[in-house]
Every structure is written in structure tokens, then in C-alpha cells.
Amino acid sequence: MVDLWQFIVSNQAEILDQTIEHIGLTFVSLLIAMAIGVPLGLLATRFEKVSGPVLGAVGVIQTIPSIALLGFMLPLLGIGALPAIVALFLYALLPIVRNTYSGINEVETSVTESARGMGMTGGQILRKVELPLATPVIFAGIRTATVINVGVATLCALIGAGGLGEFIFRGIALNNSIMILAGALPAALLALGFDFVLGLLERNVSKFLKPLSYGLAVVLVFVSLYSVSTVFSQDQFRIGVPPEFLERADGYKGFTQQYDLDMPVVEMNASLMYQALDNKRVDVTVGYSTDGRIEAFDLKVLKDDKNYFPPYECAPIVREDFAENYPDVIAAINKLAGKISTQQMTQLNSAVDHKGQEERAVAKEYLQELDFRTEINRQGDPDILIGGKLQTEQFILAHMYRVLIENYTSLDVGLRPGLAGTQIVFNALTNDEIQLYPEYTGTGLHVLLDPLEQVTDSLGNDRDAVYNYVFEQSLQQFNIRWLQPLGFENTYALIMRREQAEQLGIETISDLADYLSKDETQNTP
Amino acid sequence: MIQFQSVTKIFEDGTTAVDDLSFQIREGETFGLIGTSGCGKTTTLKMINRLVEPTSGTIQINGSESTSQDPEKLRRQIGYVIQDVGLFPHYSVQQNIATVPKLLYWDERRIASRSEELLQMVGLDPETYSERKPQSLSGGQQQRVGLARALAADPPIILMDEPFGALDPITKRQIRMEVSSLFKQINKTIVLVTHDVFEAFELCDRLCLLDDGKMQQIGTSQELLFEPANNFVDSFFASNRFQLELLSVTLSDILEQKNGEGELYWSPPLKEEQEDDEVKPTQTLYHILEEMEQRPQENLAIIHRVEKQVINSLGFSDLLDRFQQYKRKRKRREQDG
């Protein structure tokens, strides 16, 4: 509790920003949904023939999982506030359309018939009879939509739209529950608060609160427009950053200090960044040097000329007791040691990310090229579970290890790749929930061990020194054994569109920093 | 005057609800549309205020074709009362009554005084009921408000679709009696749809019996009973014939007084010269016999208007005898004619 309070106090500016973004996303989408949903619901009551398709369509949209809907939005609208607002709008549509429809339909026919019989026009019946009587039901729909939207809007952080989801996803990636709470708590309070305010409005909508509600709506529109415009503004050079990188010791803070960089940050899901870069939503991203999409999207990796990033050699890690009990598994795993170069790994990633091949087939094919046995494929209950993070290569490696272990031992292997964050995978390993996963030495150094600055400085950029340090310390501190490295490195890397980089003559990160500082002095008179 | 000219209504699903209907509703009369359910009586009624548009034929209201004006304008000149009342639940009683006057842009003061007048007319105390919401009223009270709402803008024509259908028998009877006397006061053309023949006989001057969208007979209750146009009309009233006959025949029918020299009194009167004891000759036989059941000691005395002496004194059985005579006479007249 105290920790949470301290975290909130020390990050209040950011939380406030995120809350405003969150309100903006929620209400812009909600206002659009109201502006379209209520007339759509009315239309459905007027033309019974369209009511089925309309209600069906908005119902189907609601059944699409929110992550999937955001995924659908990407190729169409890219990343940022726009696809987020569209997705939220679509989610808000169902409760509003359906409640408008049923609210109007629930008005007794005797009432509308007598209204017609007395000589009210269609518009008068709607304004004086149907809408006033349906208002509680329509309002209930709007309340439902608001609460849904506050919740779903947290997911919009995944596509760089900001909001309170940023803390939640950063917290998930780092397994930091205080950070998760710092995002989740304000979101929950927002949902409750809006529900309460709307409930108050609903009860008094016809009375004194009417002008107040208009005022509130106007204020919300301004807040929304303001926050959206800040997310939308395109004129600045922007950097897309995955949540974990923002908080890591070898991450954004130290990096910007080292290079004296300052540019607006768009936080987004690691797997979306390349696309965002390609769509020019951002101009620089922090990605992984072996990622297949670098080749696919014709991107350029900037040289880390000040050697900020430590080496990130990839090596499988296991618990020490597991290594002692299963020497044959260790032997099977080690068959792959030194067998994958950085270039080869990039090609394998590209085969999956760019050419659309299955990770499993890519893994098997590569092992066949190396003349390993690959024919055995067991389907039984797994004896060993292999974990992994979100990057493509982690999936491919997991499949490779599975084939090796199943072909060179008598054990069955199950896979649990795609875990969202270093801390989560590592905790799973130490808790014996998974038995093996590929980790990177630099990550081991900075995220898992996090030693004093003198230590990291003394290790510098020396691959072997880092490996040895991580090997010894992991064994001591966590009882975790690093096996032999696979041969490739997957470092954090600053990536730009090749075209833009060449146009601006940027080769290294220092070039970028120079360009940005020049740009800044040009812009300030 | 409402004039139907070869009016036919075929619904979208192909059912013929009203088939070549031609008749006239006279100004100031209470006109009943009766028949079994599904006979087309409600459709006929709704064609008058254009809630249903005829497929063919014309309807003239006071000489001008109903389709010649805006349906909304037309409806504001025609009161409309339905079985489920359809009061606006979000409006107070007063606001409900004010609906049509507001549509006609009456000023507030006129609306207020009119709704007060109407509430009194339908037997509800304005002070108690004006600000109430409909759901706090009983079924009978709601129907009274519905009636007041229909009368609000003083329309010359009032359409009523099963107005008492949803009420319990006691309330129904009471409201029917009140409405009956109200109808006599207000002198409006009233078109009443009902499946309850007793209600129709009590309230209506003339009736139109429909079956399967076709008009079977139009006329007074006695004409329908004693001169049925066809077997359907005859059989339609068969099960309640005796009661209906008593309801349709009035005292003046069976007494056949010349020059109306006699006045009718209950005899002996409870008190000398008691006004209450005067009996109107327009009373139906049914009501007289019913009252006589409650006054076993009394006869109906016919007293000479000028000389104040009893001309005749009739008991229960005398009245029934006279009734039989009247029926025989009618039958003879019919056969002769």
C-alpha cells in the first residue's frame, strides 16, 4: 500500500497524463458511438427489416476479442489514437444501439398509437413520447458502454494510443504489481466515477442537471480533442518504445542520458513497432537486431557507437537441479551451441515474419540442414515445458529444443512460448513451471541481476566477461545455470526507415542525436 | 357527417379486412360498429382518422374527403379513445389532457381552464388529480382521463375503440352510465367500436353489424332485432335475444300514449311529490324491470298531466304483457309491410 502510494506520488505527472489520455479515448469514442448508435437504434425501430442485420452486426463486433479487434485495425489504420478510437467506438456501439432499439420498442404500442391518433407527427411522437420514455434504457446503454470503454481503453496502450494501459503493460512485462496497480486503480476509479456521474445525470436528466450535462459534454469534448491532438500530432520526430524498455536498467533512461537524446515517446507493443515505423507513425523504434522485419520493411539499424548496450548473447537457461537430474537433456540442448549465427537467426526470423512460414517448420528444416535427427514427434503428456518471450526467435528456438530433446532423449516436451516479459518467464523458470528458456546475457545482467554501475562499466562490451559474470552470479543468486551460447546476439537496436536514415545521413545513434539537437535549435527562434 | 363510399381495405398480407363498405354516420349521433372479433370494425374506425388508409373507396367527413388534408391535422379534430387508454406515463394527468390543445398552440391559461372543466365533466376532482401521474390512477380513472383527453380540443367527432373493454364489470357499468349521460350532454358525433352488444345497445343510437369485413345490417337496435336483414343478423343476437329486446324497447314504445298526456311515477311515492320518483318514458324496459325488482311494493303509475289523477297502474307482469303485445304488433307490421 505504502509502496503503491509512493509510486503514484512520484509518477503523478505521468499518471495524470495517462488519465487524461484515457478519458480522451473513452469519451471521443463514446460520443461518436452515441452520435451514430442512437440514430442507428432508431433506424432499426423504424425499419424492422434492417433491425436484424444492424443488431446482428453490432453484436458480432462485440464478440471479437478486444486484442483481435485492435489487431484488425492495424493494417487499416496503423497505430495510435485513431485505430484505438475506432475500436472503442465499435465496442460502445452494441449497448447503445441495442438499448436504443429496445428502449423505443418497449414503449407500449397503446401509448404511441394514442399519440398518433391525437395527431402528433412522427417527429413529435419521437421527441415528446418515445425518446423521453426510452431515456432510462438508452442511458443504461450509454453507462454500460462507458464502463466497457474505460476497460478496453487500457488495451489501447498496446497500439501506441497511450492511456492508463501503459503502466499496466509495463507492470506486466516487469512483473511489477505496484506498477500494474498504478494503472489499474485509476482505470477502475474512472469506470466507477463515470458510472456514478452518468447515473446521477440519468436520474436528473430532465431537471436541473440538463444544462450541467451539456456543460460537462462540452468540457469532455475539449479534453478529448486536446488529448487526441497531442497523440495525433505528427510534426515531431518520435520514438516507439516497448513497455519493458522504458523501465529496464539498460533501457530508455540511461540510453537518453548517454546519447543526450530527447524526443517524444510513443509506448507500444514490441511486435507492432516495426509496422508503426513502416507506416510512419514513428520515426525511430527500439527493436531487436535479429528481427526478421528489419529486412522485410527495409529498415536500418543505427550503430551503437557509444557502446551503450551490453552484449546480448543468447543462451538457454535452466535450474541447477534440473541440469543435475537430466544430463541427457542438457546434452541434447547443447548440440545447438554455437550453431546459429546472428545472420542465420535473422534469416530464420524473416522466414516466419516476412515469408509467413510456420515457426515449427522453420525450426525443423534448420535442424535437418545441420543433420540432426528430427523424425520423432511425441504427442504425450509433456515431461518438460519450454518457455519463451514474445519475440519470433523465441518461438523458433523453443521448437528446435523440442525436436532435439524428443529425438535425443525419451522425454516428451511441451511449449509455453510467448510470455509477456522477462520477469514473467524468469519467475516461471525459478518456480519450476517451465524448465528451460532462451535468455540473453545483457538482459540477465541488467534485468535479472542489476548490479552496481561500476560492475557493468567494468564489464563493458566484452561478451565473454558478461557471460562469465552472468553465469556465476545467476548460479549463486538464483541457482540458475546458463548453458552454452547459441552463437548469435540479439541486441536492442535503434531502428529507422532506411530511406529516411539515408536521406538525413544518419548512420549511428550519435548522428541521430546530432540531427535532433540541430533540428531543435532550428525550430526555436 | 361521415360518409363511407365503397371502402375496401386489403392488408399487405392479403387479408381483406373491410369489403366494399358504404354507409353514413349522422351528425350528433352515437354510432356503434359491432361484430365478432376480426370482423373489421376496428379497421373501419381507424380509417376515419387515417390510422389505416383505405385500399379503395372514399371517406368524406363533413363533405370533404378525408385524404384531402394532412392526417395529423385531421386527427387533431377527431377525439380518439382506445381500450388500453394509452395515457403518456411521463406526463401528469393535466399534461395528458393538454396534449392536443398544445399541438394546436392554445395559450396556457385556456389549456388550464379547459382541463379543469374536463376533469370535472368526467367526475375527477381537478385539485386532487391534475398533478398525478397516470400509473397512480385506477383503471377506471385512467379511462376517464383518456376520455377527457379525447374531448380536450372540443372535436366534433370522437372515435372510441373498445373504451371500456379493460375495466372490471362494476367499474364498466358505472362508467358506461356516466358516459351515456355525458354523450347526451355534449352533442357530438361518436363512433363506438365494441364487441359487447349490451354496451352498444345502451349507448348507441344506431348500429352497424359487420361480419368478415362486410356490412350485414345498419339501423337502430330494434330494427336489428325485430327486422333482421339476414340469418347472420338473426343468429348474432340469438343467445341474448330476450335481454337485448328488453334493452332496446323503451317505456314509450310499449305504453303508446296519445299526446303524451300521462306522466310516469313510482307509486305509491315514498314521499309526496318526490321528484326522484318520476320515471322518464325513454327508459328501457330492462332498466325499469330491474328497478322494479328492488321496489317490490311499488307499481308504475301513469298520472294525467293536467288532472293529476291516476290513469293506469302497471306491475311487473303488466309490463311484460305490454312488451309481448308490442312485439306482436311489430311482427304484424313487418309482415304487412
Side-chain angles (χ1 to χ4, degrees), chain A residues 91-395:
Chain A
Y91 272 109
L93 219 44
L94 176 73
I96 293 176
V97 172
R98 191 157 60 190
N99 281 40
T100 305
Y101 177 77
S102 55
I104 298 279
N105 268 2
E106 276 166 23
V107 175
E108 283 182 52
T109 44
S110 64
V111 171
T112 47
E113 200 205 303
S114 67
R116 221 154 74 84
M118 280 188 292
M120 285 194 184
T121 60
Q124 286 169 332
I125 295 174
L126 185 66
R127 268 181 292 118
K128 297 189 170 185
V129 181
E130 289 179 310
L131 279 179
L133 288 175
T135 297
V137 185
I138 297 175
F139 236 93
I142 292 172
R143 281 169 77 172
T144 311
T146 311
V147 174
I148 290 177
N149 265 13
V150 170
V152 177
T154 57
L155 295 177
C156 295
L158 290 176
I159 56 169
L164 289 162
E166 288 188 352
F167 268 132
I168 296 177
F169 287 107
R170 242 183 272 170
I172 290 173
L174 300 169
N175 201 19
N176 181 338
S177 49
I178 286 173
M179 207 181 280
I180 297 175
L181 276 177
L185 207 63
L189 289 176
L190 270 188
L192 286 174
F194 286 146
D195 195 47
F196 176 74
V197 170
L198 285 172
L200 217 63
L201 274 183
E202 178 188 343
R203 274 190 295 283
N204 301 294
V205 73
S206 53
K207 292 179 206 158
F208 59 94
L209 272 176
K210 207 169 189 175
L212 200 85
S213 70
Y214 287 139
L216 200 70
V218 170
V219 169
L220 279 170
V221 169
F222 275 112
V223 168
S224 310
L225 289 178
Y226 165 76
S227 62
V228 168
S229 68
T230 60
V231 181
F232 265 125
S233 62
Q234 291 275 321
D235 49 336
Q236 279 171 303
F237 219 74
R238 297 192 301 170
I239 182 164
V241 180
E244 183 171 327
F245 187 72
L246 278 175
E247 299 293 330
R248 276 170 73 131
D250 55 344
Y252 192 71
K253 277 179 200 147
F255 170 75
T256 47
Q257 272 167 21
Q258 175 103 19
Y259 280 102
D260 196 19
L261 267 174
D262 185 23
M263 55 179 147
V265 174
V266 180
E267 188 173 340
M268 69 181 84
N269 185 294
S271 45
L272 301 176
M273 288 183 318
Y274 304 94
Q275 188 156 17
L277 189 58
D278 192 42
N279 291 344
K280 303 189 181 170
R281 305 284 166 174
V282 294
D283 304 288
V284 189
T285 59
V286 177
Y288 304 102
S289 57
T290 56
D291 201 293
R293 284 166 291 194
I294 293 173
E295 195 187 313
F297 291 132
D298 195 22
L299 305 175
K300 183 178 175 64
V301 175
L302 301 187
K303 195 169 181 315
D304 178 21
D305 54 332
K306 289 191 181 171
N307 288 330
Y308 171 72
F309 294 116
Y312 295 90
E313 276 191 290
C314 184
I317 61 174
V318 296
R319 285 155 57 102
E320 177 62 16
D321 56 337
F322 178 85
E324 281 162 11
N325 293 337
Y326 293 92
D328 51 337
V329 174
I330 303 302
I333 294 168
N334 277 339
K335 283 180 188 296
L336 209 55
K339 289 282 165 52
I340 309 175
S341 72
T342 302
Q343 196 195 357
Q344 280 164 330
M345 194 68 243
T346 309
Q347 276 168 1
L348 293 175
N349 283 335
S350 181
V352 172
D353 284 335
H354 186 41
K355 297 183 189 115
Q357 294 175 24
E358 270 183 72
E359 294 105 348
R360 189 184 159 142
V362 170
K364 198 170 166 184
E365 199 181 309
Y366 189 75
L367 291 178
Q368 280 166 345
E369 277 172 29
L370 294 173
D371 288 327
F372 287 119
R373 290 209 302 266
T374 59
E375 35 317 309
I376 300 171
N377 179 18
R378 296 202 180 93
Q379 304 288 341
D381 290 337
D383 305 303
I384 295 176
L385 286 176
I386 301 176
K389 305 185 199 180
L390 274 167
Q391 295 99 313
T392 306
E393 70 194 25
Q394 293 259 335
F395 286 78

Side-chain angles (χ1 to χ4, degrees), chain B residues 124-187:
Chain B
L124 293 173
D125 174 32
E127 240 169 74
T128 321
Y129 292 100
S130 277
E131 295 311 315
R132 291 252 210 120
K133 286 279 168 71
Q135 64 260 33
S136 72
L137 304 180
S138 71
Q141 288 169 335
Q142 286 186 23
Q143 196 53 276
R144 284 163 205 264
V145 176
L147 194 64
R149 186 173 68 170
L151 293 169
D154 207 13
I157 299 169
I158 294 171
L159 309 180
M160 303 181 102
D161 189 357
E162 302 275 8
F164 315 114
L167 303 177
D168 64 88
I170 295 169
T171 315
K172 189 171 174 169
R173 202 187 139 86
Q174 196 191 341
I175 290 199
R176 211 153 74 187
M177 272 157 61
E178 287 175 21
V179 165
S180 171
S181 65
L182 184 70
F183 281 4
K184 276 165 196 140
Q185 286 172 42
I186 58 180
N187 188 36

